[in-house]
Amino acid sequence: MIEVKDLHKSFGEAHILKGITTTFDKGKTNLIIGQSGSGKTVFLKCLLGLFDYEEGSIAYDGEIFSQLTEDEKRNLRAKIGMVFQGSALFDSLTIAENVMFPLRMFTKQSKSEMQDRVDFVLKRVNLEDAHKKKPSEASGGMQKRVAIARAIVNNPKYLFCDEPNSGLDPKTAIVIDNLIKEITEEYQITTVINSHDMNSVMEIGEKIVFLKNGFKEWEGSKDTIFITDNESVTDFVYSSNLFKKVRRMYLDENQ
Amino acid sequence: MTYLHNIGAYFLMIAEMFRKPTKWSVMKQLILKDIDDLIIGSLGIVAFIAFFVGGVVTIQTALNISNPLIPKYLVGFATRQSIVLEFAPTFISIIMAGKVGSFITSSIGTMRVTEQIDALEVMGINSLNYLVFPKFIALMLYPFVISIAMFLGILGGMAACVYGGFSSLEDYIIGIQTDFIPFHITYAFIKTVVFAFVLATIPSFHGYYMKGGALEVGKASTTSFVWTSVVIILLNYLLTQMLLS
Ligand SMILES: Nc1ncnc2c1ncn2[C@@H]1O[C@H](COP(=O)(O)OP(=O)(O)O)[C@@H](O)[C@H]1O
Ligand SMILES: [Mg+2]
C-alpha cells in the first residue's frame, strides 16, 4: 500500500501538484487519470522518487520515503518496477539483456539462474522467442511487454506504469492492460497506472484518482465513474461520442 | 547568469560521476564498449587525417623555404615541431570533438529523451557514473591515439618529402632529430590528457542535461561541438602559456 499525504510539487513558478492525498492498495490496479498536462507523469515521478517535492509525504507500506537513509532508499528502489511511457528499453542491449539488467545490477544470482528467470518472465508476458532481438526491431506492443517483463523480473512490491498502452492499437492495448492486472493480482503488487484512456478505465480501473489542475478532483472506481455527477469527471469521460452513447444506453437500461 | 549556472552544474556533474560506483562486473563491459566506440572507432579517421596533413605541412614548409642559406633539414624539423606541438594534440582533438563528442552527446541525449536515464535512476543506479565514467576511463587511452597521430603525421611528411622530391630522406631524418626537447613531448601529452577529459565530460554534460525531443538531440550535438572546441582552444592557449613560456 502506498499512502500519499498533501503532496505539493512545483517547477519554479509553476505549481503542478497542489496538495494531493490518496492511497493506492496492494494487489489492485490503481489508475491516475486526467487530461494531458494534468500532472499525471509528474505525480508518478514523485512516487518513484525521481522528483523531489516541496511538501507532503509518501509512505510505502508505512515507510515514509523522505525519512529513509540512503541505503534504505536504495533497498526500497530495488522493490520498485517501472514501465515508462515510451518503454525506455536500453537500445544497446538485446531484449533478454534488458530484462536481465535489474538482476545483474541487484542480485548475486549466477548466469544460469538469471537466464532461467528471464525465460520465465518473458514467457509470462507471452514473448518466448524474442530474446536476441534488439528493442528497435520489436513492435510497440512487444516493447511494452519487454518493459513489463523488465519491471517485474526482480519481484517488485510496487509497479508503476506511465500510459502503458499509449501508441498501441486498441486490441493490443487491452491485452497489455489485462496483463498488468493479472500480474498485479498474481504477485500481490501495489500497481499505479497513469492513463487518459477510457478503455483502461473500464478494463482495469479498480481504483481511480482523477487529477485536474493539480488537484485530486475525484476518486472512485470503474463502477462509480459512470454514475458520478462530478462535472469535470463526466466532461472527461464523455468527451467521446462513443461514451456518450454508452451512457445513454446505460441510463435507458436502468430506468 | 545561465553560464555561471551551467559551469556550476558541470562541476557538480563531475563530482557526481565518481559517487556510488556501478558494480564492477557491469562497469567493465561498459568500459570495453566505450573503448571500442570512442578509441578504436576513431583510429581510422585519425590515421588518415594525420598522414595527409603531415604531408601537407611538409610540402608547405618546403615550398616556403626558398632561401638557399636555410638548411634543407629544416623541413623535417618544422614538420616535427608543428605536428608534435599543435597538430596532433590540438587539431586532432578538435576533430574528435566533432566525431567522439557528437556521438557522446547524441547517445546520452537520446537516452535522456527516451527516459532511459530515468529508468536507470528509478532502479537506484547512479546514471552519471553508469554513463559518463566509462567514457572518461576509455578516453584515458586517448594519448595512445595522439601518439599514433604524431607518428603517422611525421611519416606522412616523410612520404611527401621523398615522393614529392622536396628534400632527401637523409635531410628529413636529420631534421626530425634536430634540437629535440623531451619536454615538448611532456607538454603535448599534458595537453592530450586535459583534452581527453574535456572530450569525455563536456559532450556528456550537453547530452545528459538536454531537454526536449529528437530535434533537440541534434541541436545539443551541435552546441556540444561548439563548446568542446572553444574550451579546447582556450585551454590550449592557457596551457601553452603556462608550460612553454
Ligand atoms: N521537468 C519538468 N520541468 C518543468 N515543467 C514540467 C516538467 N515536467 C512536467 N512539467 C510540467 O508539468 C505539467 C504536467 O505535466 P505531465 O505530468 O507530464 O502531464 P501528463 O498528465 O500529461 O502526464 C505540464 O504543464 C508540464 O509542462
Ligand atoms: Mg504523461
Side-chain angles (χ1 to χ4, degrees), chain B:
Chain B
M1 195 55 212
T2 43
Y3 284 126
L4 279 181
H5 174 86
N6 283 341
I7 292 169
Y10 171 74
F11 284 107
L12 285 177
M13 176 193 93
I14 289 169
E16 185 64 25
M17 175 177 111
F18 292 101
R19 281 191 52 241
K20 236 173 87 182
T22 306
K23 221 171 160 177
W24 174 241
S25 60
V26 177
M27 182 52 79
K28 198 170 59 190
Q29 288 185 353
L30 293 173
I31 292 173
L32 290 176
K33 181 162 186 311
D34 279 333
I35 289 177
D36 196 35
D37 285 342
L38 306 178
I39 300 293
I40 312 286
S42 302
L43 288 178
I45 183 79
V46 167
F48 175 79
I49 292 175
F51 187 80
F52 284 99
V53 175
V56 170
V57 169
T58 299
I59 296 174
Q60 295 284 21
T61 318
L63 292 178
N64 285 294
I65 301 174
S66 46
N67 188 333
L69 289 178
I70 298 176
K72 273 288 174 204
Y73 67 77
L74 212 73
V75 176
F77 174 75
T79 304
R80 185 201 73 206
Q81 288 302 81
S82 47
I83 286 177
V84 169
L85 294 178
E86 289 307 327
F87 170 73
T90 313
F91 186 74
I92 293 285
S93 294
I94 299 291
I95 302 216
M96 293 289 270
K99 186 183 184 299
V100 168
S102 58
F103 172 77
I104 293 178
T105 306
S106 57
S107 60
I108 296 185
T110 304
M111 291 187 70
R112 168 62 75 196
V113 301
T114 56
E115 294 183 304
Q116 292 176 51
I117 293 182
D118 286 338
L120 290 170
E121 288 289 322
V122 168
M123 294 181 203
I125 294 164
N126 176 357
S127 56
L128 279 170
N129 178 267
Y130 183 90
L131 294 171
V132 186
F133 185 75
K135 297 185 170 47
F136 163 73
I137 297 296
L139 279 169
M140 288 298 110
L141 291 177
Y142 186 55
F144 167 70
V145 176
I146 296 304
S147 319
I148 291 178
M150 289 175 178
F151 175 75
L152 287 176
I154 292 172
L155 201 70
M158 189 188 286
C161 248
V162 176
Y163 294 109
F166 296 103
S167 96
S168 68
L169 184 59
E170 291 78 50
D171 281 340
Y172 188 84
I173 289 177
I174 293 172
I176 60 178
Q177 292 171 320
T178 303
D179 288 339
F180 177 72
I181 302 172
F183 182 71
H184 283 176
I185 298 287
T186 315
Y187 155 79
F189 280 106
I190 290 176
K191 292 209 299 193
T192 304
V193 170
V194 172
F195 296 163
F197 186 78
V198 170
L199 282 172
T201 51
I202 294 187
S204 297
F205 177 79
H206 280 93
Y208 192 85
Y209 291 104
M210 65 154 295
K211 290 196 170 75
L215 184 65
E216 281 77 9
V217 174
K219 284 187 193 149
S221 304
T222 319
T223 323
S224 140
F225 171 69
V226 171
W227 279 109
T228 311
S229 322
V230 166
V231 170
I232 286 176
I233 298 289
L234 284 179
L235 285 175
N236 186 38
Y237 179 84
L238 287 176
L239 286 171
T240 306
Q241 179 145 32
M242 264 165 54
L243 296 171
L244 290 190
S245 66

